[in-house]
Amino acid sequence: MNEQKNVVGLLQDIKGLLARNKNVFNVDDLSDYTGLSKSKIYKLSSLKLIPSGNNKHIRQLFFNKKEIDAWLLGEPNLSDDFIEQKFNEQLLKNKR
């Protein structure tokens, strides 16, 4: 039984390593890669504060790994307060 748990754990580690070799991430992949919650990713995307794909024919969000790495290295402000402020500003702007 213990050996089975070790194998499952090893397979999960391998799966995680393989996922990081992707060039394009979906929201789940990006959440795993960055540690950001999915809701934070969606908020950042709606505010255009995170680089994402712009194919209008695909309804799902996709992210280029190289662009995400550059964005993360640029030290973006990911605080909840900053995102909430930007979100509220966008809401007020849309009401006008």
Side-chain angles (χ1 to χ4, degrees), residues 69-82:
D69 287 341
W71 176 74
L72 287 170
L73 291 172
E75 300 179 21
N77 188 344
L78 299 175
S79 71
D80 289 335
D81 291 338
F82 175 76

Side-chain angles (χ1 to χ4, degrees), residues 11-25:
L11 288 173
Q12 288 174 334
D13 290 345
I14 291 170
K15 181 181 176 185
L17 290 171
L18 290 173
R20 289 197 168 109
N21 287 331
K22 292 174 141 185
N23 290 324
V24 177
F25 293 143

Side-chain angles (χ1 to χ4, degrees), residues 35-52:
L36 296 172
S37 68
K38 291 179 194 178
S39 64
K40 187 171 269 194
I41 292 169
Y42 282 116
K43 284 180 183 177
L44 290 167
S45 296
S46 70
L47 296 169
K48 299 187 183 344
L49 295 175
I50 187 171
S52 63

Side-chain angles (χ1 to χ4, degrees), residues 55-87:
N55 186 335
K56 63 182 179 181
H57 302 292
I58 300 175
R59 297 183 69 137
Q60 188 175 357
L61 287 172
F62 288 101
F63 306 88
N64 181 300
K65 182 181 183 288
K66 288 181 182 179
E67 290 177 1
I68 292 298
D69 287 341
W71 176 74
L72 287 170
L73 291 172
E75 300 179 21
N77 188 344
L78 299 175
S79 71
D80 289 335
D81 291 338
F82 175 76
I83 294 170
E84 228 23 70
Q85 175 191 352
K86 291 294 183 185
F87 200 72

